[in-house]
Amino acid sequence: MRRILVTGVSRPPGSALARRLAGEPEVARVIGVDVTPPRDDLPGVEFVRADIRSPVAAGLLDSEQVETIVHLGGLSGPAGRGAGREVAVIGTMQLLAAARRAMTLRAFVLASSTAVYGAGPNDAALATEDTPLPAGASGRARDAAEIEKYVEGLAQRRPDLRVCLLRLAPLAGPTVRTPLARYLRRTVVPTMLGYDPRLQLLHEDDAVDALLRATLAEAVGTYNVAAEGALYLSQATRRLGRPQLPVPAAMLPWFLGRVDPPLWLLRYGRVVDAARIKKELGFAPTYTTAEALQALRERR
Amino acid sequence: MDDRLGKGGNGTVVPAVLDARIAAGLAFLRRRLAGQYDIDEFGFDPDLTSNVLLPLIRPLAEKYFRAEVRGVENVPADGAALIVANHAGTIPIDALVTQLLIHDRTGRHLRLLAADLVFRLPVTGHLARKAGHTLACQEDTARLLEAGEVVGVWPEGFKGIGKPFNQRYQLQRFGRGGFVTAAAKAGAKIVPCAIVGAEEIYPIIADVKPLAKMLGLPYVPVTPTFPWLGPLGLLPLPSKWLVEFGPPIESSDLPEAAEDDPLSVLDMTSQVRETIQHMIYRLLAQRGSAYG
């Protein structure tokens, strides 16, 4: 019987995952940690309101004899910008330091992002798990890559741990509030003049399924998780029935304001090859990119 | 259509054709405005390519350059194949014309491998992806060939397309033969292709190297008409084009473990290069005057 700690449990993918884990017969306890209380009821989940940077969270690992950590806190910081991003990175470092010393710990699952690949004119059309990560990344892409690096460091120091990284494509779904999701929901979508990036999404339910699979199956290693198919941004906005407003690249940040998906994504787009997880874990998302896009319409 | 021809005679044929065209055009517009078309993961948009991009090149290839095709039966009707061709003409019109000719003669979409510059620049980047092109790199080549596509590669790259007019039809270096390795790994045939005519569309008489360096471009060409005539200098000269596809080199003839045997890869690369060079000389002799 397993004891699982889930971070970032108050936001949608985390709360859904914690609920699902609590329903699994082989799971004894699910401890959810987050800085804010969960929006919905989490039946079967013991919620601990704590910052993962604090010793409270670290103490839980030993006092509750946690066996598996599912770290979603790095997926997107509370606000996803500035100080929020800092919390995600430093919080992960603290959590990993605690994990290194936690003797009962057997597995660490990280929800990472395909943002680690960035995007550029020199990139192959599809990134695989073996594609080298870019050196000059900035913003959230750099944070995500840094968090992965720390987790790989943990894997090296604790070879007895089962470490699994899932690189999730940008999430889409009724409860998703990521910058890209909010961008696509705008009434007028400002785009970069002269560029039309390819988008690939992942439905939030599929993300939860993939995390559940990686947590319960004995998955080790790095896996891309993304819906099948791609859409051009122009195509996506038309399918959503939103007018596009192409503006020169230099002016785009001003038009984006606070709803700011990464500029490299709006310029070059990112599509990944998700064949490995299908082959090794038998996991294939149920929603295509086109269907995940439609799921952005409903909002909860 | 045949029914109407029989019943109504010639009078109704034209309106019927026109009706069908208008209906198809409206259906296309509706699809585009609603975003209801599919692309592949490389960004290839067959709907746009067949209905807009290729029809734009068709008059240029067929009427202006009067392109003639030989040996099209050497392009396999299905399965993976790598078309290897010579490059010329300042801007890669030769690649687009080859894509059109293969599409019109065999119904297959040629997937071109393009330089990163294409994807760095605005507009060309997404248009190239929509036309089915992708970055010339081992990963994309392997992925396309494994999917059974017919892939086009111009191994001379900028060295070929930006060479001065006095070196016309002299094949430049073919690089390290990455295309041979890719074809061997995927079990794809290599089809040598010679294009005659592209050399004369923008004859490069000088290259403004300092300006090219400043703009981050591989070359800034000076032709008899550019930049002297301004935008008019962008009009290509109406040379006569001949495109020939040679007999395919079977993948069984390719070096098997390419990584372990760089020498045989280079051998095969120069063999392909020689074949194309000879095809070019033969076509040149047949064509006679460039603008005839």
Side-chain angles (χ1 to χ4, degrees), chain B residues 48-215:
Chain B
L48 187 76
T49 305
S50 301
N51 293 310
V52 177
L53 302 178
L54 291 180
L56 284 175
I57 309 165
R58 198 166 285 127
L60 191 74
E62 305 279 354
K63 298 276 175 343
Y64 197 75
F65 296 135
R66 297 146 287 149
E68 278 177 36
V69 186
R70 300 184 182 171
V72 76
E73 66 280 357
N74 289 321
V75 179
D78 48 41
L82 191 62
I83 312 275
V84 183
N86 58 309
H87 216 1
T90 313
I91 51 174
I93 293 181
D94 49 357
L96 300 177
V97 167
T98 311
Q99 180 180 11
L100 174 88
L101 295 173
I102 287 185
H103 175 261
D104 287 359
R105 303 292 198 279
T106 70
R108 299 193 73 181
H109 283 288
L110 180 67
R111 310 295 297 264
L112 299 183
L113 301 178
D116 58 343
L117 180 68
V118 170
F119 300 102
R120 181 164 319 192
L121 296 175
V123 186
T124 59
H126 69 87
L127 279 182
R129 286 225 166 273
K130 285 170 185 173
H133 312 168
T134 193
L135 182 74
C137 61
Q138 284 287 342
E139 296 92 324
D140 287 9
T141 315
R143 196 179 285 276
L144 283 169
L145 288 176
E146 267 149 34
E149 300 281 353
V150 50
V151 179
V153 64
W154 274 254
E156 294 169 273
F158 290 122
K159 296 188 296 292
I161 195 172
K163 66 183 178 294
F165 192 59
N166 59 14
Q167 288 175 28
R168 62 190 177 279
Y169 299 119
Q170 307 296 313
L171 277 184
Q172 304 295 302
R173 281 190 295 111
F174 261 28
R176 280 161 248 176
F179 67 92
V180 172
T181 316
K185 267 192 198 153
K189 294 173 180 167
I190 290 182
V191 180
C193 169
I195 304 165
V196 158
E199 293 277 13
E200 292 93 1
I201 59 172
Y202 297 111
I204 297 181
I205 50 180
D207 173 9
V208 195
K209 287 207 174 78
L211 187 63
K213 203 164 186 182
M214 212 169 78
L215 296 174

Side-chain angles (χ1 to χ4, degrees), chain A residues 122 194 196 198 232 235 239 273, chain B residues 35 37 41 43 116 123 130:
Chain A
N122 281 315
D196 195 6
R198 289 167 299 148
Y232 281 105
Q235 197 180 2
R239 285 191 181 197
D273 179 342
Chain B
Y37 47 89
E41 39 196 11
D116 58 343
V123 186
K130 285 170 185 173

Side-chain angles (χ1 to χ4, degrees), chain B residues 10-12 18 25-26 52 61 65 78 81 105 114 117 124-125 158 171 186 188 206 217 251 270 274 280 284:
Chain B
N10 281 340
T12 57
L18 207 61
L26 286 177
V52 177
F65 296 135
D78 48 41
R105 303 292 198 279
L117 180 68
T124 59
F158 290 122
L171 277 184
L217 296 173
S251 62
S270 54
E274 291 297 304
I280 290 175
L284 274 174

Side-chain angles (χ1 to χ4, degrees), chain A residues 11-66:
Chain A
R11 274 163 292 124
S15 34
L17 177 69
R19 265 199 307 267
R20 291 275 299 277
L21 281 172
E24 291 289 327
E26 53 186 298
V27 176
R29 293 176 67 189
V30 179
I31 303 146
V33 180
D34 210 328
V35 281
T36 51
R39 294 201 311 172
D40 318 312
D41 247 13
L42 295 179
V45 179
E46 301 159 46
F47 178 72
V48 179
R49 188 170 177 177
D51 190 330
I52 47 170
R53 288 173 299 175
S54 71
V56 179
L60 280 174
L61 294 182
D62 280 329
S63 64
E64 307 299 325
Q65 304 206 315
V66 171

